[in-house]
Amino acid sequence: MTYRIIGLCLATTIGLSPVAPGQTVLIPATSNRVTPTVHAVNQVLPSVVNISTDRQIIVQYKYQIGAVTYRSRPQADHRQSLGSGIVIDQQRGLVLTNDHVVKQAHRIIVTLADGTNHAATPIATSAASDLALLILDDFLPRVAVKDIRFAVPGDVLLGEVVIAAGNPFGLGHSVAEGIVSAVGRNKELNGVYYHDIVQTTISINPGNSGGPLLTLSGEIVGISTFTLNPEYFGLTSIEGLGFAVSEETISAVLPDLRAGSQITTPPDILG
């Protein structure tokens, strides 16, 4: 009988029976528990990475005494942030993520699914498309890490089931499932004009940015990027809503990123 081997990280993520560290779960390939979602996650999750950054920013505080407003002297402030990414070239150790995940970072650490940490350096970034390509230091190819396929640009269906993988709240490799609720959205956020983005029913939590949005075939159709600020709508939270940079944008920008070109204008993907 053929079995599928589900590792500890995946087993705990999708709610299978707990196993001891270093052990695996053997599930018959014919089991009805091995759904298309489980198969896609098992195929892709080893290539998903967690990203942590340290950045130094200059801040200036305002304070008021009576009717007079004063400003403090500019001073350096250290910030840490979390994000996700996906290995797209395991021979070279290339990781695709969001630009805002690594922007202004002076130190980037990428954690692979096997728990190993690697310093990373941006090869190139596209602030206009919110994409960045990193190269891992001292990276050796791993059997489990596969080069993930990209879907054909534009080949995403309204109502199609999709999977988001990432590092929400720094909890580590996690997955969530939803459907494509809209395509071709345009949205400006924090000075970035997102063109032709994909809207899904999957909530994007802090740390999810930069992780892959996948079809049940395990192909990348987007990079999870942002949700809306609930305070803008007078709410405390927004659930079931997330946006991803589309594969059209990725395919238009990625060749220049691989070549080390910094991109400051949006890609022409209108044909």
Side-chain angles (χ1 to χ4, degrees), residues 196-200 204 213 221-226 242-246:
D196 206 26
I197 53 179
V198 179
Q199 178 183 325
T200 75
I204 304 298
L213 184 68
V221 291
I223 294 294
S224 298
T225 302
F226 68 91
F243 298 93
V245 174
S246 68

Side-chain angles (χ1 to χ4, degrees), residues 36 39 54 182 198 253:
H39 179 72
D54 292 322
V198 179
V253 170

Side-chain angles (χ1 to χ4, degrees), residues 49-53 81-85 97 101 166-167 206-211:
V49 303
N50 303 334
I51 299 175
S52 62
T53 66
S81 62
L82 299 171
S84 306
T97 185
V101 170
N167 177 34
N208 273 130
S209 292

Side-chain angles (χ1 to χ4, degrees), residues 4-27 33 37-39 41-43 45-46 113 173-175:
R4 297 198 185 281
I5 301 177
I6 309 295
L8 172 62
C9 176
L10 176 58
T12 55
T13 300
I14 63 178
L16 301 182
S17 300
V19 295
Q23 292 184 340
T24 57
V25 178
L26 295 180
I27 299 178
R33 296 172 62 191
T37 298
V38 172
H39 179 72
V41 169
N42 193 33
Q43 175 184 351
L45 201 61
H173 292 74
S174 301
V175 296

